[in-house]
Amino acid sequence: MKFSEMPYARPDLNELKQQLQALTDRLKAAPDYAAAREAFLAQQKLSMHIDTLATLSSVRNSIDTRDKFYDAEEEFWNEAGPELRAYDDAWTAAMLESPFRKEFAAEYGDLMFLNAEIARKAFSPAIVEELKQENQLVQDYQKLIASAQIAFEGGTYTISQLSPFKNDPDDARRLAAWQAEGGWYKAHQTELDEIYDKLVKLRDAMGRKLGYDGFTQLGYYRMGRNCYGKADVEKFRAAVRKYLVPVAESIYQEQAKRLGKTYPLSFADAALSFRSGNPRPCGDAEHILAHGQKFYDELSPETSAFFRMMRERELLDILSTEGKAAGGYCCTIPDYDVPFIFANFNGTQHDVEVVTHEAGHAFEAYLNAWRVPMDDPSMEACEVHSMSMEFMAWPWAEGFFGKDTRKYLYSHLAKALTFIPYGTMVDHFQHIVYEKPEMTPAERHAVWKELLGVYMPWVKLGDGIPFYGDGEGWQRQLHIYVNPFYYIDYCLAQTVALEIWALLQKDRKEAWERYMAYTRQGGSEVFTTLLKNAGLESPFDENCLRTVCETAKSWLDHYDLTGIE
């Protein structure tokens, strides 16, 4: 079935509650494992159907935030979701207390019980109303960003549509684009501050209501972190500052020389990798998808079948259109055992990375659609699939980038390295914010500005760029509003992906085998065990980050950029 043909109708909320309660009662009353297993499988099926309806509503709302029907449906799910969580919580409690837990673990693995215990720590019926309020504030933020109409050079652009101008090789034009976007954020800063201030205080209140010392511990539980904690993240952040920030500085120092700019760089100049312009795809969206198919056809039989299915069933919505939500993501539609990719193509190298990165997520979902229970890998585990797939595509880069291929290979690796300090800064910022929820908006901006000096010393403030030049750019980072503490996941995964990149330089066959050994496990183990089973090092091991930094820096230092301005 194609995505456009997948039916959606708002479910009867009371009927869903009754069905979920009945299944919980069945599990509790089960006289033997066979009966308990039947109840478990029925609950899985119903939960998948609920997820399918909620996902269809969310995706179609993302595609056009102006659609009044799906806008109303999102309001319904914002209310219904937290209420249904109470029934999921009751089911989880029954599973944890089941006399057949040993039999369930023997057939389906013990990880679902570990995750269930964490999920219970992240919820109580006492916070249902707060969760509803949080959902609404998140939707308010997303609608505000999607509503952006930015005047530039006589036209009007969404934030995504403006992006190509922000790395234009013409200095004046590029600066003007940064000023235009920064001006829009600045004009809406009061709204952005108010939404975030409410979110921080609301989340802090939920954490305290559940017995925690604020939101941070609750935030970790909500992220489902089952094999590492705050101390591990702090250790990783220290390693980033020690090994990666100096490498990133050297990358931007070389960039400043290529551009003929003084170091440190303005935000507008940091966005331009080469004087002649950043790498751009050599074709339109159809060309990128067609060459993406060639890449996946030649990579493996599994990836070939996967990407053909995605295209034939309309499971990619990639064009940037008016009213479309910002950003990109991959999700799953459980009833149909398929993933879905949402993106905003804008004529930059980002478009190619959608076909590799988001499709990496989708490929894992495709490979593991058969698994019961339907638990996905944890977020940092998921990002390994996607970030590593970007590097797998290197031998096919010429078909995507043509004459800009050498530029792309250099800048792709450079951006992978320089991203990690930024992503780590996002995480550090959130830890400080939730440790001090009483901070004013101005104090939060001051924290971000201070962290810029620690994690991104290659950028300078000012230069007439509002918002960004004022050191307030954190408000453009959707995850900070929508998914608190979901960002260090990217950094951990990028470190592993760089490990796979290093393997690719030595032996492509071995690198692919390790990638598949990792990906085929789905969410059957915790992150660190998935890595161990695939013969990969943990990013929490300081040696991992030190080694990939040395290897990647050496590659960049010796890469031939002759003839490229």
Side-chain angles (χ1 to χ4, degrees):
M1 183 181 291
K2 295 180 178 180
F3 177 74
S4 59
E5 299 167 342
M6 294 178 185
Y8 173 83
R10 182 186 295 186
D12 184 309
L13 184 57
N14 287 328
E15 185 177 330
L16 289 181
K17 290 177 180 178
Q18 290 170 11
Q19 291 174 324
L20 289 168
Q21 184 60 56
L23 287 168
T24 300
D25 293 340
R26 270 179 64 186
L27 178 65
K28 288 180 176 180
D32 51 36
Y33 177 60
R37 184 177 182 275
E38 282 184 13
F40 168 72
L41 294 175
Q43 191 274 345
Q44 286 283 301
K45 184 176 181 180
L46 178 58
S47 292
M48 289 170 65
H49 183 59
I50 293 170
D51 284 355
T52 295
L53 294 177
T55 299
L56 288 172
S57 171
S58 176
V59 169
R60 288 169 178 165
N61 177 252
S62 296
I63 290 170
D64 187 356
T65 59
R66 304 164 304 175
D67 186 310
K68 294 189 183 303
F69 175 80
Y70 283 108
D71 192 48
E73 292 312 291
E74 282 303 278
E75 289 184 9
F76 164 77
W77 286 106
N78 285 345
E79 293 282 320
E83 292 186 27
L84 292 173
R85 273 288 295 277
Y87 290 84
D88 288 338
D89 185 60
W91 168 268
T92 300
M95 280 291 289
L96 289 170
E97 296 163 5
S98 173
F100 308 108
R101 177 168 168 169
K102 184 177 179 180
E103 288 88 342
F104 275 119
E107 183 170 3
Y108 298 108
D110 197 50
L111 182 60
M112 70 173 177
F113 290 105
L114 173 60
N115 289 339
E117 288 166 352
I118 292 171
R120 291 218 75 204
K121 293 175 181 177
F123 177 79
S124 163
I127 62 169
V128 165
E129 290 307 311
E130 287 90 343
L131 288 169
K132 291 180 181 179
Q133 294 173 46
E134 182 184 21
N135 286 344
Q136 187 58 55
L137 287 166
V138 163
Q139 189 174 4
D140 290 344
Y141 172 78
Q142 291 175 314
K143 288 175 74 172
L144 175 61
I145 299 301
S147 73
Q149 295 287 287
I150 303 171
F152 184 72
E153 294 186 344
T156 304
Y157 300 89
T158 65
I159 289 171
S160 179
Q161 290 167 342
L162 188 69
S163 291
F165 300 110
K166 290 174 64 188
N167 55 41
D168 193 282
D170 182 272
D171 288 349
R173 194 182 201 204
R174 186 175 68 259
L175 176 60
W178 278 84
Q179 289 171 331
E181 186 186 79
W184 183 87
Y185 279 108
K186 200 73 174 178
H188 294 83
Q189 194 161 64
T190 299
E191 296 164 82
L192 292 165
D193 281 337
E194 287 178 354
I195 291 171
Y196 193 63
D197 194 61
K198 289 177 181 177
L199 281 169
V200 169
K201 290 180 169 58
L202 186 65
R203 288 166 177 160
D204 179 71
M206 283 192 280
R208 294 182 187 282
K209 214 171 196 181
L210 293 183
Y212 307 121
D213 185 20
F215 176 71
T216 302
Q217 186 61 67
L218 173 58
Y220 271 58
Y221 288 145
R222 282 175 31 159
M223 289 300 301
R225 291 189 174 146
N226 51 23
C227 63
Y228 65 93
K230 183 181 174 184
D232 299 297
V233 172
E234 289 172 352
K235 180 182 175 184
F236 178 80
R237 289 203 304 253
V240 169
R241 295 192 294 270
K242 181 177 179 180
Y243 299 112
L244 200 39
V245 169
V247 173
E249 277 199 276
S250 70
I251 290 170
Y252 280 104
Q253 285 165 352
E254 289 300 310
Q255 183 172 320
K257 292 177 187 177
R258 289 197 301 273
L259 299 180
K261 299 287 184 178
T262 57
Y263 181 89
L265 297 162
S266 70
F267 281 90
D269 291 337
L272 185 67
S273 296
F274 298 95
R275 183 72 275 175
S276 56
N278 288 356
R280 289 182 178 272
C282 59
D284 60 11
E286 277 305 311
H287 170 83
I288 290 171
L289 289 179
H291 189 65
Q293 185 66 67
K294 177 178 170 61
F295 157 49
Y296 287 115
D297 282 346
E298 296 175 0
L299 182 62
S300 76
E302 296 94 337
T303 51
S304 175
F306 148 72
F307 203 66
R308 288 188 182 281
M309 181 275 296
M310 293 291 290
R311 297 180 71 196
E312 289 168 2
R313 296 178 66 176
E314 301 174 350
L315 296 169
L316 302 102
D317 190 287
I318 58 172
L319 299 180
S320 181
T321 53
E322 191 173 334
K324 192 172 185 179
Y329 58 78
C330 173
C331 59
T332 56
I333 309 175
D335 277 358
Y336 305 98
D337 289 334
V338 295
F340 183 90
I341 292 173
F342 171 94
N344 281 275
F345 272 28
N346 55 26
T348 68
Q349 72 185 64
H350 156 271
D351 299 351
V352 174
E353 288 160 5
V354 166
V355 171
T356 54
H357 180 100
E358 298 301 343
H361 286 306
F363 180 58
E364 182 280 324
Y366 167 83
L367 279 183
N368 291 286
W370 58 273
R371 287 189 181 276
V372 177
M374 59 178 184
D375 284 344
D376 293 321
S378 51
M379 292 300 186
E380 70 289 317
C382 285
E383 296 301 338
V384 173
H385 312 127
S386 54
M387 290 175 161
S388 300
M389 188 65 85
E390 294 179 33
F391 290 125
M392 292 293 174
W394 271 27
W396 291 266
E398 189 168 357
F400 287 121
F401 291 98
K403 63 182 178 60
D404 279 356
T405 299
R406 281 196 298 150
K407 279 188 188 179
Y408 171 71
L409 296 179
Y410 180 91
S411 65
H412 183 215
L413 181 59
K415 286 180 183 298
L417 290 163
T418 58
F419 163 78
I420 295 175
Y422 168 75
T424 306
M425 177 174 65
V426 169
D427 180 75
H428 198 160
F429 173 75
Q430 293 184 93
H431 277 82
I432 294 172
V433 164
Y434 288 108
E435 284 166 9
K436 301 176 181 178
E438 71 282 356
M439 281 195 296
T440 65
E443 288 171 331
R444 292 187 193 112
H445 292 307
V447 168
W448 183 259
K449 191 178 294 187
E450 181 180 349
L451 290 175
L452 279 170
V454 175
Y455 290 97
M456 296 177 64
W458 51 85
V459 294
K460 62 182 176 182
L461 303 180
D463 277 1
I465 303 175
F467 184 65
Y468 292 103
D470 299 333
E472 299 167 350
W474 63 270
Q475 291 184 311
R476 61 155 293 281
Q477 189 57 64
L478 174 142
H479 302 70
I480 293 176
Y481 283 78
V482 178
N483 302 109
F485 293 116
Y486 178 12
Y487 220 70
I488 198 66
D489 310 71
Y490 290 113
C491 305
L492 298 170
Q494 187 71 85
T495 303
V496 177
L498 286 165
E499 188 183 341
I500 291 176
W501 167 84
L503 280 171
L504 284 165
Q505 309 315 301
K506 298 176 183 177
D507 187 333
R508 286 197 59 81
K509 183 173 181 291
E510 181 187 354
W512 177 248
E513 287 173 354
R514 291 203 195 182
Y515 176 85
M516 286 297 283
Y518 177 86
T519 304
R520 284 191 187 280
Q521 297 175 82
S524 62
E525 301 284 355
V526 301
F527 175 51
T528 49
T529 303
L530 294 174
L531 293 172
K532 184 179 179 181
N533 290 347
L536 297 166
E537 282 191 305
S538 166
F540 297 115
D541 181 348
E542 187 174 327
N543 181 64
C544 179
L545 195 57
R546 180 176 63 242
T547 302
V548 298
C549 282
E550 290 172 354
T551 306
K553 187 178 188 307
S554 176
W555 189 95
L556 291 171
D557 288 346
H558 293 91
Y559 191 69
D560 183 13
L561 290 175
T562 304
I564 298 175
E565 296 180 358

